[in-house]
Amino acid sequence: MTTHRVRRHAARALTMTVAACAVAAATVLPAAASDRPTRQQLMADCASGAGKCTFNAPRLGEAYLGELRQVSNSLFNCSTSDSTQSMTWDDTVGSTDSLGVSVTAGGKIAGIVDLSVTASYSHSWSSSHSESSSLNMTVKPGEVGWISRAQVMQRVSGTWQTHYDSPQWDHYYWFFQDTITSPAKNGTDGKSNAVVVKTRKMTAAEKRSCTAEGHQGRTFVAPR
């Protein structure tokens, strides 16, 4: 065999070897990626107790006032004079993590976060807040009124550590960052809860309903 033919065969063999390695790598990489748990899987194990979890190095952000939300039924005034009425309202505000998943009050996740925040800041953390009361509201003719409320909120950021008794996804420990948004105590960082009466003009369809549904000349309450 000539020198030229030897070199040609050697080059061909090298090309086939590189191609084979590329195929092997393409087969292994997706499998390795799928061996990592998702955050949802780790949180589920924390919640069920399958993993022994802690929420490390919690950092409380500055409190802020959340958005106003309707917390009462709506009062429609189909009469020709102002209507004043006492309206009851109730509001429950919960917590969510950075994926938008609810942190249930009384659950294992809430208990772990509360334990961590209490140890670091010497005050308890709450995953939910409920409040109710009543308020007099005045609605002018042709308007609709309701009660809205805004809750003082606060974010707590930290690192979840999940420990397994036997390796899961080839590791005993897994870590991930998380931020939980939750209701804060009224007055935190100088912020206060707000309860306000809101009113607006009825729409054309709502005005027509005053007559069509027999409400003309009086007020009626519609559930929120």
Side-chain angles (χ1 to χ4, degrees), residues 4 12 52 64 78 101-102 137-138 151 161 177 190 199 209:
H4 178 71
R12 182 179 302 170
K52 300 174 183 178
Y64 64 95
C78 297
V101 178
S102 174
M137 59 187 299
T138 300
Q151 170 71 39
Q161 174 183 307
Q177 303 291 319
T199 60
S209 72

Side-chain angles (χ1 to χ4, degrees), residues 6 10 16 26 28 31 40 49-50 54-55 61 65 70 84 86 98 105 113-114 117-118 134 139 143 171 194 219:
V6 169
M16 292 178 64
V28 171
Q40 291 89 335
T54 56
F55 189 66
L65 189 61
Q70 183 172 347
T84 300
S86 177
S98 52
V113 177
D114 183 28
V117 173
T118 300
S134 60
V139 179
E143 293 189 352
H171 291 279
T219 62

Side-chain angles (χ1 to χ4, degrees), residues 94-97 100-105:
S95 301
T96 55
D97 71 1
V101 178
S102 174
V103 178
T104 307

